[in-house]
Amino acid sequence: MGGKRLCGSVSVSGAKNAAVAAIPAALLVEGVCRIENVPDIKDVDAIVDIMKYLGAKVKRINGCILEINCEKINGFSVPYEMTKKMRASYYLAGALLGRFNHAQVPPPGGCCFGNRPIDMHIKGFEALGAKVSIDKGTIEAHAVSLKPAQVFLDVVSVGATINIMLAAVRANGLTVIENAAKEPHVVDVANFLNAMGANVRGAGTDTVKIKGVEKMAGGTYTLIPDQIEAGTFMIAAAATRGDVLVKNVIPKHLESISAKLAEMNAVVEEYDDSIRVTREGILHKANVKTMPYPGFPTDLQPQTVALLSLAQGTSIITESVWDNRFQYVDELRGLGAQISVDGKVAVVEGVEKLSGANVKATDLRAGAGLVIAALMAEGIPQMHDIYHIDRGYEGLELKLKSLGAQIVRKGDDKKRRQLM
Ligand code: EPU
């Protein structure tokens, strides 16, 4: 049921997009990788299943620690039934190529925002000396031995930056990636690799340098908190005229969001590892353009559009990362929002109220946006296809309930309930 203020504190889980890269990266390590602060989400379950299929021994300790031993791996190919469950399965290509000079990886799944090319990943593998062929989406890459390379990315790509790092960490010599993505999870994966024995420098800048090492022996690493989960709670607090302390965050990673919420008339207070968001006055309109980090993250675009649907005035949202990331807007309209979309631009005319309806999550972040819209709405909105949300948010409805939201999950997910 919507209309409740969210109040209290909530703790953010480990970063999904770091976890789903660090786990396959363990394939490069011939020792035990202990990864801490791993979120309990379906995408992690899916990549762990693939690791086990490949022969890795994976132990989950206390829910959020994974111990992965990849000393004995059975092969370098994976069935499509497993890779199609998530986007990040494409990291298996870089990791298997880096470890065995050979990878065969069927197409990934995950959220669909139109065309999601991987030409930059391929460009990187080829520069490293691999022969790459693609048959019906399955990548096959092999090399006699990988050689160092200079790779200039034509587009800033998180996936290509990480995949090329994975392929290069054990290549003989110095690989340089120019125009690299600078997202916090790119830096986190580089730090993870270094903790396991790699030599990666410059992650978080435009130029990443990877000096190949012969062997990676393993170690312990704690993943950063999830920037997008944190941003989602910040937006939810502003949306409900709430007062929420979002704990276990890195405020630096949230600067673009904090600034935008302040522009909308929320009060944002930063502490060392938490952020408090409150709103009392009217929500102001704002224009938002999504950009690679440190710009405003595309993965918070649907949540922001939901928020702005109740702002005073007209807001313009420009999606500059993905071609087709406004598919969920019809669902928001079903709740009474007034939004028109022309290509990559959405114009949101603020309305007085949203009200209950049946909506469906069309993808992970759209699902989070619709939850925020439902929290603002009058009546009892019902949301379907919430499995998308479970792919990337750990216990979202339970965390929101702890802040005072009235949410009931119908249908059962006992495992997740028992964990909280
Ligand atoms: N691109 C290319 N060629 C490539 C790779 C990307 O043209 O070879 C283009 C894409 O079409 C897109 C842009 O470059 O227009 C950025 O794509 P990027 O490769 O950075 O995206 P990704 O690695 O596939 C990750 C996150 C997404 C997030 C984007 C952008 C993971 C597993 N996924 O995707 O997260 O939207 O970066 O920040 O890390 C999510 O978590 O919900 C999610 C979709």
Side-chain angles (χ1 to χ4, degrees):
M1 184 158 64
K4 289 264 171 213
R5 287 183 77 212
L6 296 185
C7 293
S9 67
V10 66
S11 189
V12 170
S13 302
K16 161 187 163 287
N17 287 342
V20 296
I23 294 166
L27 284 164
L28 292 155
V29 181
E30 279 143 303
V32 176
C33 297
R34 184 180 159 99
I35 315 178
E36 301 187 346
N37 204 26
V38 178
D40 182 23
I41 52 174
K42 296 282 186 209
D43 269 13
V44 163
D45 294 345
I47 194 77
V48 164
D49 284 348
I50 299 180
M51 296 293 285
K52 287 182 178 164
Y53 172 88
L54 287 168
K57 293 204 169 68
V58 187
K59 254 200 278 178
R60 199 183 259 277
I61 303 162
N62 295 337
C64 65
I65 299 174
L66 287 183
E67 269 186 12
I68 309 178
N69 185 335
C70 292
E71 245 162 299
K72 294 202 182 83
I73 292 298
N74 306 326
F76 41 77
S77 76
V78 190
Y80 174 57
E81 286 313 305
M82 299 187 99
T83 60
K84 73 173 187 193
K85 290 191 180 159
M86 61 178 321
R87 190 75 200 158
S89 54
Y90 55 28
Y91 291 135
L92 295 161
L96 289 166
L97 185 62
R99 168 87 179 260
F100 299 112
N101 293 337
H102 202 159
Q104 195 183 40
V105 181
C111 298
C112 181
F113 331 116
N115 195 16
R116 292 186 74 173
I118 53 161
D119 52 322
M120 291 300 116
H121 305 230
I122 309 295
K123 176 176 167 171
F125 297 159
E126 286 178 340
L128 287 162
K131 283 210 172 5
V132 186
S133 60
I134 301 190
D135 182 20
K136 298 197 186 90
T138 296
I139 303 177
E140 173 135 25
H142 63 93
V144 177
S145 66
L146 294 171
K147 59 179 172 70
Q150 181 100 13
V151 188
F152 190 98
L153 298 180
D154 303 327
V155 289
V156 178
S157 160
V158 170
T161 304
I162 293 178
N163 233 343
I164 298 166
M165 278 188 332
L166 300 187
V169 279
R170 293 184 57 175
N172 188 16
L174 181 72
T175 294
V176 180
I177 309 172
E178 299 280 6
N179 199 26
K182 298 187 277 237
E183 268 65 7
H185 38 285
V186 172
V187 179
D188 210 35
V189 176
N191 289 339
F192 163 78
L193 290 168
N194 288 339
M196 300 302 133
N199 186 347
V200 182
R201 300 284 171 259
T205 73
D206 294 321
T207 307
V208 179
K209 294 185 177 165
I210 307 124
K211 194 160 176 217
V213 294
E214 250 178 47
K215 204 169 166 183
M216 291 164 67
T220 297
Y221 187 76
T222 304
L223 298 175
I224 53 168
D226 196 295
Q227 176 206 27
I228 304 302
E229 188 195 355
T232 302
F233 284 118
M234 291 167 70
I235 293 171
T240 59
R241 290 179 182 268
D243 180 352
V244 176
L245 184 69
V246 186
K247 296 191 300 190
N248 185 34
V249 303
I250 299 176
K252 173 88 192 143
H253 295 165
L254 298 162
E255 277 174 352
S256 62
I257 301 123
S258 299
K260 206 39 87 176
L261 289 177
E263 199 180 313
M264 294 177 200
N265 200 27
V267 177
V268 182
E269 294 162 66
E270 284 185 9
Y271 303 98
D272 287 348
D273 61 358
S274 59
I275 288 196
R276 180 177 174 201
V277 178
T278 46
R279 177 172 72 89
E280 283 177 6
I282 289 214
L283 194 63
H284 294 170
K285 67 182 170 132
N287 295 338
V288 179
K289 183 172 185 182
T290 65
M291 303 279 277
Y293 188 80
F296 193 92
T298 172
D299 291 342
L300 287 173
Q301 180 258 95
Q303 300 88 320
T304 308
V305 169
L307 171 65
L308 288 169
S309 64
L310 282 188
Q312 199 173 53
T314 305
S315 305
I316 298 176
I317 291 83
T318 308
E319 171 57 55
S320 70
V321 177
W322 297 111
D323 287 343
N324 194 8
R325 207 175 193 176
F326 286 121
Q327 291 133 316
Y328 65 89
V329 159
D330 277 345
E331 304 294 320
L332 278 182
R333 287 194 194 111
L335 291 168
Q338 274 191 27
I339 305 172
S340 59
V341 176
D342 184 4
K344 293 165 101 175
V345 178
V347 178
V348 184
E349 303 284 353
V351 292
E352 297 265 307
K353 63 172 187 160
L354 301 177
S355 52
N358 278 337
V359 291
K360 109 174 168 264
T362 50
D363 63 57
L364 167 60
R365 307 304 176 186
L370 287 162
V371 168
I372 288 172
L375 291 171
M376 297 190 289
E378 294 175 0
I380 309 181
Q382 289 203 1
M383 188 182 307
H384 302 272
D385 292 356
I386 55 172
Y387 62 88
H388 286 292
I389 297 176
D390 293 334
R391 280 189 36 226
Y393 286 91
E394 180 174 309
L396 181 66
E397 93 273 15
L398 296 166
K399 290 187 182 183
L400 287 170
K401 265 166 113 165
S402 76
L403 294 172
Q406 292 191 325
I407 303 184
V408 179
R409 179 186 280 258
K410 292 191 174 164
D412 218 359
D413 189 348
K414 288 204 178 91
K415 179 174 165 255
R416 202 159 298 280
R417 283 179 189 188
Q418 279 162 2
L419 279 169
M420 291 298 296

